[in-house]
Amino acid sequence: MEPILTVKHVEKYYGNRGNVTKAVDGVSFTVGKGEFVGIMGASGSGKTTLLNCISTIDSVSAGHIFVGGRDITEMREKRLSAFRRKELGFIFQDYNLLDTLTAYENIALALSIIRTPVKEIKVRVETVAGQLGIGEILAKYPYQLSGGQKQRVAAARAIVTNPSLILADEPTGSLDSKSARVLLDCLTTLNTSLHATILMVTHDAFTASYCSRILFIKDGRLFSELARGEDGRKTFFDRIIQVVSLLGGDNSHVF
């Protein structure tokens, strides 16, 4: 399987010589093209810091990160900004939609920034909106949408540029259980039907059960890994809970 993401011996330190905190400590892994991979860990485990390094929001202290074969840790800021806009898609817990723009305009903005022709923008926005079941709400503003609808608009914005990698940071964290299921089904569609490569950070075993593989982080290090294989989600969920209990985590979500 062709690797889209390769993380090699990544370390991230905070503090000074007398008081250094290792948020990420020598983590290495790969994500293949078309995979849906989750990263789990307790609060303070380093999972969000790791995602921030991969998303170029933060820089590594040591190690290398390759996306599509390109070393993003060696890129200068101008080149990195262009790379981020074109090759990475982001889905955040708080949606990050612009209140003064309609759903259509929020999605189209990602294409406008990379100077996509106007006619192509319309086709691509309407296509991805249809795939995610939000075609009828494109004219509405964020305040007119439910949490689940906002998150699907955010997912459409993330995928519309055809990025190499979609990064999702606790995407169900602000949603009720029904909206969370809708979004997770949406991410599954992106992965299985559109062959999107997704890396998702979550603390929730139910959310993680939608992934094809889970990386568990503890104290900044890779603790364990689970592949779903042929398991159904219920069986995979039970296996995830077993590892979470070994991590000392707390998970109250039921299947």
Side-chain angles (χ1 to χ4, degrees), residues 35-41 199-200 202 204-217 222-229 236-237 239-241 243-244 247:
E35 274 200 288
F36 186 178
V37 176
I39 298 178
M40 292 193 74
L199 182 67
M200 176 177 68
T202 183
D204 178 59
F206 175 78
T207 299
S209 70
Y210 280 75
C211 299
S212 57
R213 184 161 59 100
I214 308 291
L215 306 173
F216 295 90
I217 305 292
L222 189 61
F223 174 79
S224 183
E225 179 177 338
L226 276 184
R228 180 171 170 179
F236 193 38
F237 172 84
R239 292 172 60 203
I240 293 168
I241 287 293
V243 179
V244 169
L247 282 170

PDB file of all heavy atoms in Angstrom, residues 35-41 199-200 202 204-217 222-229 236-237 239-241 243-244 247:
ATOM      1  N   GLU A  35      -6.461   4.730   3.746  1.00  0.00           N
ATOM      2  CA  GLU A  35      -6.708   4.244   5.111  1.00  0.00           C
ATOM      3  C   GLU A  35      -7.511   5.257   5.916  1.00  0.00           C
ATOM      4  O   GLU A  35      -7.485   6.459   5.659  1.00  0.00           O
ATOM      5  CB  GLU A  35      -5.384   3.988   5.835  1.00  0.00           C
ATOM      6  CG  GLU A  35      -4.785   2.627   5.601  1.00  0.00           C
ATOM      7  CD  GLU A  35      -3.771   2.264   6.685  1.00  0.00           C
ATOM      8  OE1 GLU A  35      -2.677   2.848   6.695  1.00  0.00           O
ATOM      9  OE2 GLU A  35      -4.081   1.396   7.517  1.00  0.00           O
ATOM     10  N   PHE A  36      -8.200   4.755   6.933  1.00  0.00           N
ATOM     11  CA  PHE A  36      -8.907   5.579   7.915  1.00  0.00           C
ATOM     12  C   PHE A  36      -8.320   5.196   9.265  1.00  0.00           C
ATOM     13  O   PHE A  36      -8.686   4.184   9.856  1.00  0.00           O
ATOM     14  CB  PHE A  36     -10.401   5.286   7.854  1.00  0.00           C
ATOM     15  CG  PHE A  36     -11.267   6.177   8.725  1.00  0.00           C
ATOM     16  CD1 PHE A  36     -12.646   6.026   8.717  1.00  0.00           C
ATOM     17  CD2 PHE A  36     -10.733   7.160   9.533  1.00  0.00           C
ATOM     18  CE1 PHE A  36     -13.465   6.830   9.506  1.00  0.00           C
ATOM     19  CE2 PHE A  36     -11.528   7.970  10.320  1.00  0.00           C
ATOM     20  CZ  PHE A  36     -12.899   7.801  10.314  1.00  0.00           C
ATOM     21  N   VAL A  37      -7.382   6.004   9.747  1.00  0.00           N
ATOM     22  CA  VAL A  37      -6.606   5.673  10.940  1.00  0.00           C
ATOM     23  C   VAL A  37      -6.976   6.611  12.088  1.00  0.00           C
ATOM     24  O   VAL A  37      -7.111   7.823  11.894  1.00  0.00           O
ATOM     25  CB  VAL A  37      -5.093   5.766  10.657  1.00  0.00           C
ATOM     26  CG1 VAL A  37      -4.275   5.511  11.926  1.00  0.00           C
ATOM     27  CG2 VAL A  37      -4.700   4.765   9.572  1.00  0.00           C
ATOM     28  N   GLY A  38      -7.147   6.038  13.273  1.00  0.00           N
ATOM     29  CA  GLY A  38      -7.425   6.821  14.462  1.00  0.00           C
ATOM     30  C   GLY A  38      -6.227   6.874  15.391  1.00  0.00           C
ATOM     31  O   GLY A  38      -5.417   5.940  15.428  1.00  0.00           O
ATOM     32  N   ILE A  39      -6.099   7.969  16.128  1.00  0.00           N
ATOM     33  CA  ILE A  39      -5.095   8.085  17.187  1.00  0.00           C
ATOM     34  C   ILE A  39      -5.842   8.299  18.497  1.00  0.00           C
ATOM     35  O   ILE A  39      -6.632   9.236  18.622  1.00  0.00           O
ATOM     36  CB  ILE A  39      -4.125   9.263  16.949  1.00  0.00           C
ATOM     37  CG1 ILE A  39      -3.341   9.058  15.645  1.00  0.00           C
ATOM     38  CG2 ILE A  39      -3.159   9.407  18.118  1.00  0.00           C
ATOM     39  CD1 ILE A  39      -2.397  10.200  15.314  1.00  0.00           C
ATOM     40  N   MET A  40      -5.608   7.414  19.459  1.00  0.00           N
ATOM     41  CA  MET A  40      -6.277   7.501  20.753  1.00  0.00           C
ATOM     42  C   MET A  40      -5.260   7.641  21.877  1.00  0.00           C
ATOM     43  O   MET A  40      -4.118   7.177  21.762  1.00  0.00           O
ATOM     44  CB  MET A  40      -7.128   6.256  21.015  1.00  0.00           C
ATOM     45  CG  MET A  40      -8.330   6.099  20.116  1.00  0.00           C
ATOM     46  SD  MET A  40      -9.453   4.810  20.758  1.00  0.00           S
ATOM     47  CE  MET A  40     -10.190   5.680  22.157  1.00  0.00           C
ATOM     48  N   GLY A  41      -5.706   8.276  22.954  1.00  0.00           N
ATOM     49  CA  GLY A  41      -4.863   8.418  24.132  1.00  0.00           C
ATOM     50  C   GLY A  41      -5.575   9.302  25.135  1.00  0.00           C
ATOM     51  O   GLY A  41      -6.449  10.089  24.773  1.00  0.00           O
ATOM     52  N   LEU A 199      -6.833  10.739   8.943  1.00  0.00           N
ATOM     53  CA  LEU A 199      -6.189  10.524  10.232  1.00  0.00           C
ATOM     54  C   LEU A 199      -6.984  11.305  11.270  1.00  0.00           C
ATOM     55  O   LEU A 199      -7.111  12.523  11.171  1.00  0.00           O
ATOM     56  CB  LEU A 199      -4.735  11.008  10.206  1.00  0.00           C
ATOM     57  CG  LEU A 199      -3.934  10.798  11.496  1.00  0.00           C
ATOM     58  CD1 LEU A 199      -3.724   9.309  11.761  1.00  0.00           C
ATOM     59  CD2 LEU A 199      -2.589  11.515  11.422  1.00  0.00           C
ATOM     60  N   MET A 200      -7.542  10.606  12.248  1.00  0.00           N
ATOM     61  CA  MET A 200      -8.457  11.220  13.203  1.00  0.00           C
ATOM     62  C   MET A 200      -7.994  11.013  14.641  1.00  0.00           C
ATOM     63  O   MET A 200      -7.720   9.883  15.052  1.00  0.00           O
ATOM     64  CB  MET A 200      -9.867  10.622  13.039  1.00  0.00           C
ATOM     65  CG  MET A 200     -10.892  11.125  14.046  1.00  0.00           C
ATOM     66  SD  MET A 200     -12.559  10.459  13.736  1.00  0.00           S
ATOM     67  CE  MET A 200     -12.316   8.703  14.121  1.00  0.00           C
ATOM     68  N   THR A 202      -9.082  11.041  18.502  1.00  0.00           N
ATOM     69  CA  THR A 202     -10.291  10.945  19.321  1.00  0.00           C
ATOM     70  C   THR A 202      -9.953  10.290  20.652  1.00  0.00           C
ATOM     71  O   THR A 202      -8.983   9.529  20.757  1.00  0.00           O
ATOM     72  CB  THR A 202     -11.399  10.148  18.612  1.00  0.00           C
ATOM     73  OG1 THR A 202     -12.576  10.133  19.427  1.00  0.00           O
ATOM     74  CG2 THR A 202     -10.963   8.714  18.326  1.00  0.00           C
ATOM     75  N   ASP A 204     -12.608   8.823  22.156  1.00  0.00           N
ATOM     76  CA  ASP A 204     -13.855   8.081  22.295  1.00  0.00           C
ATOM     77  C   ASP A 204     -13.818   6.763  21.519  1.00  0.00           C
ATOM     78  O   ASP A 204     -13.594   6.751  20.305  1.00  0.00           O
ATOM     79  CB  ASP A 204     -15.003   8.963  21.793  1.00  0.00           C
ATOM     80  CG  ASP A 204     -16.339   8.254  21.845  1.00  0.00           C
ATOM     81  OD1 ASP A 204     -16.727   7.848  22.953  1.00  0.00           O
ATOM     82  OD2 ASP A 204     -16.988   8.116  20.798  1.00  0.00           O
ATOM     83  N   ALA A 205     -14.052   5.649  22.214  1.00  0.00           N
ATOM     84  CA  ALA A 205     -13.961   4.324  21.588  1.00  0.00           C
ATOM     85  C   ALA A 205     -15.031   4.110  20.524  1.00  0.00           C
ATOM     86  O   ALA A 205     -14.788   3.444  19.515  1.00  0.00           O
ATOM     87  CB  ALA A 205     -14.049   3.232  22.659  1.00  0.00           C
ATOM     88  N   PHE A 206     -16.234   4.648  20.732  1.00  0.00           N
ATOM     89  CA  PHE A 206     -17.282   4.498  19.736  1.00  0.00           C
ATOM     90  C   PHE A 206     -16.873   5.171  18.424  1.00  0.00           C
ATOM     91  O   PHE A 206     -16.996   4.598  17.343  1.00  0.00           O
ATOM     92  CB  PHE A 206     -18.591   5.107  20.249  1.00  0.00           C
ATOM     93  CG  PHE A 206     -19.695   5.108  19.218  1.00  0.00           C
ATOM     94  CD1 PHE A 206     -20.396   3.950  18.950  1.00  0.00           C
ATOM     95  CD2 PHE A 206     -20.027   6.264  18.522  1.00  0.00           C
ATOM     96  CE1 PHE A 206     -21.404   3.929  17.994  1.00  0.00           C
ATOM     97  CE2 PHE A 206     -21.027   6.255  17.568  1.00  0.00           C
ATOM     98  CZ  PHE A 206     -21.722   5.092  17.303  1.00  0.00           C
ATOM     99  N   THR A 207     -16.371   6.396  18.516  1.00  0.00           N
ATOM    100  CA  THR A 207     -15.882   7.112  17.331  1.00  0.00           C
ATOM    101  C   THR A 207     -14.746   6.334  16.671  1.00  0.00           C
ATOM    102  O   THR A 207     -14.715   6.156  15.453  1.00  0.00           O
ATOM    103  CB  THR A 207     -15.415   8.517  17.716  1.00  0.00           C
ATOM    104  OG1 THR A 207     -16.516   9.254  18.258  1.00  0.00           O
ATOM    105  CG2 THR A 207     -14.851   9.271  16.517  1.00  0.00           C
ATOM    106  N   ALA A 208     -13.824   5.838  17.477  1.00  0.00           N
ATOM    107  CA  ALA A 208     -12.670   5.112  16.947  1.00  0.00           C
ATOM    108  C   ALA A 208     -13.063   3.825  16.242  1.00  0.00           C
ATOM    109  O   ALA A 208     -12.357   3.361  15.344  1.00  0.00           O
ATOM    110  CB  ALA A 208     -11.692   4.811  18.079  1.00  0.00           C
ATOM    111  N   SER A 209     -14.207   3.235  16.616  1.00  0.00           N
ATOM    112  CA  SER A 209     -14.617   1.960  16.029  1.00  0.00           C
ATOM    113  C   SER A 209     -14.948   2.076  14.551  1.00  0.00           C
ATOM    114  O   SER A 209     -15.073   1.065  13.861  1.00  0.00           O
ATOM    115  CB  SER A 209     -15.812   1.384  16.793  1.00  0.00           C
ATOM    116  OG  SER A 209     -16.998   2.141  16.573  1.00  0.00           O
ATOM    117  N   TYR A 210     -15.081   3.295  14.037  1.00  0.00           N
ATOM    118  CA  TYR A 210     -15.321   3.508  12.611  1.00  0.00           C
ATOM    119  C   TYR A 210     -14.031   3.430  11.799  1.00  0.00           C
ATOM    120  O   TYR A 210     -14.068   3.352  10.568  1.00  0.00           O
ATOM    121  CB  TYR A 210     -15.979   4.868  12.378  1.00  0.00           C
ATOM    122  CG  TYR A 210     -17.474   4.882  12.636  1.00  0.00           C
ATOM    123  CD1 TYR A 210     -17.969   4.880  13.930  1.00  0.00           C
ATOM    124  CD2 TYR A 210     -18.391   4.898  11.588  1.00  0.00           C
ATOM    125  CE1 TYR A 210     -19.338   4.894  14.185  1.00  0.00           C
ATOM    126  CE2 TYR A 210     -19.756   4.912  11.822  1.00  0.00           C
ATOM    127  CZ  TYR A 210     -20.221   4.906  13.122  1.00  0.00           C
ATOM    128  OH  TYR A 210     -21.580   4.910  13.359  1.00  0.00           O
ATOM    129  N   CYS A 211     -12.890   3.481  12.459  1.00  0.00           N
ATOM    130  CA  CYS A 211     -11.601   3.473  11.764  1.00  0.00           C
ATOM    131  C   CYS A 211     -11.218   2.055  11.334  1.00  0.00           C
ATOM    132  O   CYS A 211     -11.770   1.073  11.821  1.00  0.00           O
ATOM    133  CB  CYS A 211     -10.506   4.029  12.678  1.00  0.00           C
ATOM    134  SG  CYS A 211     -10.757   5.736  13.202  1.00  0.00           S
ATOM    135  N   SER A 212     -10.248   1.978  10.447  1.00  0.00           N
ATOM    136  CA  SER A 212      -9.736   0.673  10.029  1.00  0.00           C
ATOM    137  C   SER A 212      -8.529   0.256  10.866  1.00  0.00           C
ATOM    138  O   SER A 212      -8.187  -0.927  10.919  1.00  0.00           O
ATOM    139  CB  SER A 212      -9.334   0.709   8.549  1.00  0.00           C
ATOM    140  OG  SER A 212      -8.378   1.722   8.310  1.00  0.00           O
ATOM    141  N   ARG A 213      -7.925   1.247  11.535  1.00  0.00           N
ATOM    142  CA  ARG A 213      -6.751   0.961  12.362  1.00  0.00           C
ATOM    143  C   ARG A 213      -6.635   2.044  13.433  1.00  0.00           C
ATOM    144  O   ARG A 213      -6.948   3.207  13.179  1.00  0.00           O
ATOM    145  CB  ARG A 213      -5.495   0.926  11.485  1.00  0.00           C
ATOM    146  CG  ARG A 213      -4.206   0.544  12.188  1.00  0.00           C
ATOM    147  CD  ARG A 213      -3.143   0.094  11.167  1.00  0.00           C
ATOM    148  NE  ARG A 213      -2.825   1.108  10.198  1.00  0.00           N
ATOM    149  CZ  ARG A 213      -1.743   1.900  10.251  1.00  0.00           C
ATOM    150  NH1 ARG A 213      -0.894   1.794  11.253  1.00  0.00           N
ATOM    151  NH2 ARG A 213      -1.514   2.793   9.303  1.00  0.00           N
ATOM    152  N   ILE A 214      -6.185   1.655  14.624  1.00  0.00           N
ATOM    153  CA  ILE A 214      -6.042   2.596  15.734  1.00  0.00           C
ATOM    154  C   ILE A 214      -4.606   2.560  16.254  1.00  0.00           C
ATOM    155  O   ILE A 214      -4.044   1.482  16.480  1.00  0.00           O
ATOM    156  CB  ILE A 214      -6.977   2.254  16.916  1.00  0.00           C
ATOM    157  CG1 ILE A 214      -8.420   2.081  16.439  1.00  0.00           C
ATOM    158  CG2 ILE A 214      -6.877   3.334  17.998  1.00  0.00           C
ATOM    159  CD1 ILE A 214      -9.063   3.343  15.979  1.00  0.00           C
ATOM    160  N   LEU A 215      -4.034   3.753  16.450  1.00  0.00           N
ATOM    161  CA  LEU A 215      -2.742   3.898  17.119  1.00  0.00           C
ATOM    162  C   LEU A 215      -3.004   4.464  18.509  1.00  0.00           C
ATOM    163  O   LEU A 215      -3.686   5.477  18.646  1.00  0.00           O
ATOM    164  CB  LEU A 215      -1.828   4.847  16.339  1.00  0.00           C
ATOM    165  CG  LEU A 215      -1.589   4.517  14.863  1.00  0.00           C
ATOM    166  CD1 LEU A 215      -0.812   5.639  14.195  1.00  0.00           C
ATOM    167  CD2 LEU A 215      -0.844   3.193  14.726  1.00  0.00           C
ATOM    168  N   PHE A 216      -2.469   3.817  19.521  1.00  0.00           N
ATOM    169  CA  PHE A 216      -2.673   4.264  20.897  1.00  0.00           C
ATOM    170  C   PHE A 216      -1.399   4.943  21.403  1.00  0.00           C
ATOM    171  O   PHE A 216      -0.302   4.366  21.311  1.00  0.00           O
ATOM    172  CB  PHE A 216      -3.023   3.076  21.800  1.00  0.00           C
ATOM    173  CG  PHE A 216      -4.337   2.430  21.452  1.00  0.00           C
ATOM    174  CD1 PHE A 216      -4.393   1.390  20.536  1.00  0.00           C
ATOM    175  CD2 PHE A 216      -5.518   2.865  22.037  1.00  0.00           C
ATOM    176  CE1 PHE A 216      -5.596   0.789  20.214  1.00  0.00           C
ATOM    177  CE2 PHE A 216      -6.735   2.267  21.721  1.00  0.00           C
ATOM    178  CZ  PHE A 216      -6.770   1.230  20.800  1.00  0.00           C
ATOM    179  N   ILE A 217      -1.552   6.149  21.928  1.00  0.00           N
ATOM    180  CA  ILE A 217      -0.437   6.938  22.427  1.00  0.00           C
ATOM    181  C   ILE A 217      -0.510   7.033  23.951  1.00  0.00           C
ATOM    182  O   ILE A 217      -1.582   7.299  24.515  1.00  0.00           O
ATOM    183  CB  ILE A 217      -0.447   8.370  21.840  1.00  0.00           C
ATOM    184  CG1 ILE A 217      -0.462   8.325  20.309  1.00  0.00           C
ATOM    185  CG2 ILE A 217       0.737   9.181  22.353  1.00  0.00           C
ATOM    186  CD1 ILE A 217       0.800   7.796  19.682  1.00  0.00           C
ATOM    187  N   LEU A 222       4.207   5.650  21.218  1.00  0.00           N
ATOM    188  CA  LEU A 222       3.269   4.699  20.629  1.00  0.00           C
ATOM    189  C   LEU A 222       3.190   3.489  21.545  1.00  0.00           C
ATOM    190  O   LEU A 222       4.176   2.775  21.758  1.00  0.00           O
ATOM    191  CB  LEU A 222       3.737   4.294  19.227  1.00  0.00           C
ATOM    192  CG  LEU A 222       2.775   3.476  18.379  1.00  0.00           C
ATOM    193  CD1 LEU A 222       1.490   4.255  18.125  1.00  0.00           C
ATOM    194  CD2 LEU A 222       3.423   3.102  17.049  1.00  0.00           C
ATOM    195  N   PHE A 223       1.997   3.262  22.124  1.00  0.00           N
ATOM    196  CA  PHE A 223       1.803   2.211  23.123  1.00  0.00           C
ATOM    197  C   PHE A 223       1.358   0.904  22.493  1.00  0.00           C
ATOM    198  O   PHE A 223       1.830  -0.180  22.854  1.00  0.00           O
ATOM    199  CB  PHE A 223       0.762   2.688  24.148  1.00  0.00           C
ATOM    200  CG  PHE A 223       0.346   1.661  25.151  1.00  0.00           C
ATOM    201  CD1 PHE A 223       1.146   1.380  26.245  1.00  0.00           C
ATOM    202  CD2 PHE A 223      -0.866   0.977  25.009  1.00  0.00           C
ATOM    203  CE1 PHE A 223       0.749   0.426  27.185  1.00  0.00           C
ATOM    204  CE2 PHE A 223      -1.256   0.024  25.944  1.00  0.00           C
ATOM    205  CZ  PHE A 223      -0.448  -0.247  27.033  1.00  0.00           C
ATOM    206  N   SER A 224       0.427   0.990  21.559  1.00  0.00           N
ATOM    207  CA  SER A 224      -0.138  -0.213  20.950  1.00  0.00           C
ATOM    208  C   SER A 224      -0.808   0.160  19.634  1.00  0.00           C
ATOM    209  O   SER A 224      -0.979   1.340  19.323  1.00  0.00           O
ATOM    210  CB  SER A 224      -1.154  -0.851  21.896  1.00  0.00           C
ATOM    211  OG  SER A 224      -1.669  -2.052  21.370  1.00  0.00           O
ATOM    212  N   GLU A 225      -1.170  -0.864  18.876  1.00  0.00           N
ATOM    213  CA  GLU A 225      -1.850  -0.654  17.596  1.00  0.00           C
ATOM    214  C   GLU A 225      -2.875  -1.762  17.387  1.00  0.00           C
ATOM    215  O   GLU A 225      -2.612  -2.924  17.724  1.00  0.00           O
ATOM    216  CB  GLU A 225      -0.823  -0.652  16.464  1.00  0.00           C
ATOM    217  CG  GLU A 225      -1.408  -0.468  15.077  1.00  0.00           C
ATOM    218  CD  GLU A 225      -0.335  -0.404  13.997  1.00  0.00           C
ATOM    219  OE1 GLU A 225       0.832  -0.089  14.322  1.00  0.00           O
ATOM    220  OE2 GLU A 225      -0.672  -0.693  12.831  1.00  0.00           O
ATOM    221  N   LEU A 226      -4.036  -1.386  16.860  1.00  0.00           N
ATOM    222  CA  LEU A 226      -5.084  -2.361  16.558  1.00  0.00           C
ATOM    223  C   LEU A 226      -5.534  -2.187  15.119  1.00  0.00           C
ATOM    224  O   LEU A 226      -5.811  -1.063  14.684  1.00  0.00           O
ATOM    225  CB  LEU A 226      -6.305  -2.162  17.463  1.00  0.00           C
ATOM    226  CG  LEU A 226      -6.338  -2.778  18.850  1.00  0.00           C
ATOM    227  CD1 LEU A 226      -7.698  -2.497  19.485  1.00  0.00           C
ATOM    228  CD2 LEU A 226      -6.083  -4.275  18.811  1.00  0.00           C
ATOM    229  N   ALA A 227      -5.638  -3.278  14.391  1.00  0.00           N
ATOM    230  CA  ALA A 227      -6.220  -3.259  13.053  1.00  0.00           C
ATOM    231  C   ALA A 227      -7.591  -3.912  13.111  1.00  0.00           C
ATOM    232  O   ALA A 227      -7.770  -4.950  13.763  1.00  0.00           O
ATOM    233  CB  ALA A 227      -5.324  -3.996  12.064  1.00  0.00           C
ATOM    234  N   ARG A 228      -8.567  -3.314  12.458  1.00  0.00           N
ATOM    235  CA  ARG A 228      -9.937  -3.844  12.503  1.00  0.00           C
ATOM    236  C   ARG A 228     -10.056  -5.152  11.736  1.00  0.00           C
ATOM    237  O   ARG A 228     -10.778  -6.059  12.162  1.00  0.00           O
ATOM    238  CB  ARG A 228     -10.897  -2.800  11.930  1.00  0.00           C
ATOM    239  CG  ARG A 228     -12.343  -3.239  11.917  1.00  0.00           C
ATOM    240  CD  ARG A 228     -13.247  -2.075  11.535  1.00  0.00           C
ATOM    241  NE  ARG A 228     -14.607  -2.502  11.274  1.00  0.00           N
ATOM    242  CZ  ARG A 228     -15.591  -1.680  10.951  1.00  0.00           C
ATOM    243  NH1 ARG A 228     -15.349  -0.378  10.848  1.00  0.00           N
ATOM    244  NH2 ARG A 228     -16.807  -2.131  10.733  1.00  0.00           N
ATOM    245  N   GLY A 229      -9.387  -5.250  10.614  1.00  0.00           N
ATOM    246  CA  GLY A 229      -9.478  -6.463   9.809  1.00  0.00           C
ATOM    247  C   GLY A 229     -10.897  -6.731   9.354  1.00  0.00           C
ATOM    248  O   GLY A 229     -11.574  -5.835   8.850  1.00  0.00           O
ATOM    249  N   PHE A 236     -14.874  -4.683  17.093  1.00  0.00           N
ATOM    250  CA  PHE A 236     -13.722  -3.789  17.126  1.00  0.00           C
ATOM    251  C   PHE A 236     -13.820  -2.836  18.316  1.00  0.00           C
ATOM    252  O   PHE A 236     -12.830  -2.552  18.997  1.00  0.00           O
ATOM    253  CB  PHE A 236     -13.647  -3.007  15.811  1.00  0.00           C
ATOM    254  CG  PHE A 236     -12.337  -2.293  15.590  1.00  0.00           C
ATOM    255  CD1 PHE A 236     -11.131  -2.860  15.968  1.00  0.00           C
ATOM    256  CD2 PHE A 236     -12.312  -1.043  14.976  1.00  0.00           C
ATOM    257  CE1 PHE A 236      -9.919  -2.213  15.756  1.00  0.00           C
ATOM    258  CE2 PHE A 236     -11.119  -0.383  14.760  1.00  0.00           C
ATOM    259  CZ  PHE A 236      -9.924  -0.964  15.145  1.00  0.00           C
ATOM    260  N   PHE A 237     -15.040  -2.344  18.584  1.00  0.00           N
ATOM    261  CA  PHE A 237     -15.275  -1.477  19.741  1.00  0.00           C
ATOM    262  C   PHE A 237     -14.843  -2.177  21.035  1.00  0.00           C
ATOM    263  O   PHE A 237     -14.157  -1.584  21.880  1.00  0.00           O
ATOM    264  CB  PHE A 237     -16.758  -1.115  19.799  1.00  0.00           C
ATOM    265  CG  PHE A 237     -17.187  -0.381  21.037  1.00  0.00           C
ATOM    266  CD1 PHE A 237     -17.046   1.001  21.138  1.00  0.00           C
ATOM    267  CD2 PHE A 237     -17.747  -1.070  22.106  1.00  0.00           C
ATOM    268  CE1 PHE A 237     -17.443   1.672  22.279  1.00  0.00           C
ATOM    269  CE2 PHE A 237     -18.155  -0.397  23.251  1.00  0.00           C
ATOM    270  CZ  PHE A 237     -17.996   0.973  23.336  1.00  0.00           C
ATOM    271  N   ARG A 239     -12.672  -4.559  21.409  1.00  0.00           N
ATOM    272  CA  ARG A 239     -11.212  -4.679  21.433  1.00  0.00           C
ATOM    273  C   ARG A 239     -10.565  -3.345  21.805  1.00  0.00           C
ATOM    274  O   ARG A 239      -9.570  -3.308  22.545  1.00  0.00           O
ATOM    275  CB  ARG A 239     -10.705  -5.163  20.080  1.00  0.00           C
ATOM    276  CG  ARG A 239     -11.081  -6.595  19.734  1.00  0.00           C
ATOM    277  CD  ARG A 239     -10.718  -6.923  18.296  1.00  0.00           C
ATOM    278  NE  ARG A 239      -9.280  -6.777  18.073  1.00  0.00           N
ATOM    279  CZ  ARG A 239      -8.739  -6.570  16.874  1.00  0.00           C
ATOM    280  NH1 ARG A 239      -9.510  -6.471  15.802  1.00  0.00           N
ATOM    281  NH2 ARG A 239      -7.436  -6.457  16.758  1.00  0.00           N
ATOM    282  N   ILE A 240     -11.135  -2.250  21.288  1.00  0.00           N
ATOM    283  CA  ILE A 240     -10.614  -0.924  21.620  1.00  0.00           C
ATOM    284  C   ILE A 240     -10.752  -0.649  23.112  1.00  0.00           C
ATOM    285  O   ILE A 240      -9.822  -0.151  23.754  1.00  0.00           O
ATOM    286  CB  ILE A 240     -11.354   0.161  20.801  1.00  0.00           C
ATOM    287  CG1 ILE A 240     -11.017   0.027  19.315  1.00  0.00           C
ATOM    288  CG2 ILE A 240     -10.974   1.563  21.291  1.00  0.00           C
ATOM    289  CD1 ILE A 240     -11.912   0.852  18.410  1.00  0.00           C
ATOM    290  N   ILE A 241     -11.913  -0.991  23.682  1.00  0.00           N
ATOM    291  CA  ILE A 241     -12.160  -0.775  25.107  1.00  0.00           C
ATOM    292  C   ILE A 241     -11.124  -1.519  25.955  1.00  0.00           C
ATOM    293  O   ILE A 241     -10.648  -1.010  26.978  1.00  0.00           O
ATOM    294  CB  ILE A 241     -13.585  -1.230  25.486  1.00  0.00           C
ATOM    295  CG1 ILE A 241     -14.618  -0.240  24.944  1.00  0.00           C
ATOM    296  CG2 ILE A 241     -13.735  -1.352  26.993  1.00  0.00           C
ATOM    297  CD1 ILE A 241     -14.572   1.131  25.594  1.00  0.00           C
ATOM    298  N   VAL A 243      -8.009  -2.174  25.202  1.00  0.00           N
ATOM    299  CA  VAL A 243      -6.739  -1.442  25.174  1.00  0.00           C
ATOM    300  C   VAL A 243      -6.851  -0.148  25.982  1.00  0.00           C
ATOM    301  O   VAL A 243      -5.929   0.219  26.711  1.00  0.00           O
ATOM    302  CB  VAL A 243      -6.296  -1.134  23.731  1.00  0.00           C
ATOM    303  CG1 VAL A 243      -4.980  -0.341  23.728  1.00  0.00           C
ATOM    304  CG2 VAL A 243      -6.131  -2.419  22.933  1.00  0.00           C
ATOM    305  N   VAL A 244      -7.998   0.540  25.849  1.00  0.00           N
ATOM    306  CA  VAL A 244      -8.218   1.773  26.615  1.00  0.00           C
ATOM    307  C   VAL A 244      -8.095   1.499  28.111  1.00  0.00           C
ATOM    308  O   VAL A 244      -7.524   2.302  28.861  1.00  0.00           O
ATOM    309  CB  VAL A 244      -9.589   2.390  26.282  1.00  0.00           C
ATOM    310  CG1 VAL A 244      -9.938   3.517  27.260  1.00  0.00           C
ATOM    311  CG2 VAL A 244      -9.604   2.936  24.864  1.00  0.00           C
ATOM    312  N   LEU A 247      -4.586   1.374  29.038  1.00  0.00           N
ATOM    313  CA  LEU A 247      -4.006   2.713  29.040  1.00  0.00           C
ATOM    314  C   LEU A 247      -4.381   3.491  30.293  1.00  0.00           C
ATOM    315  O   LEU A 247      -3.790   4.530  30.585  1.00  0.00           O
ATOM    316  CB  LEU A 247      -4.510   3.503  27.817  1.00  0.00           C
ATOM    317  CG  LEU A 247      -3.875   3.200  26.470  1.00  0.00           C
ATOM    318  CD1 LEU A 247      -4.658   3.875  25.354  1.00  0.00           C
ATOM    319  CD2 LEU A 247      -2.431   3.679  26.440  1.00  0.00           C
TER     320      LEU A 247
END
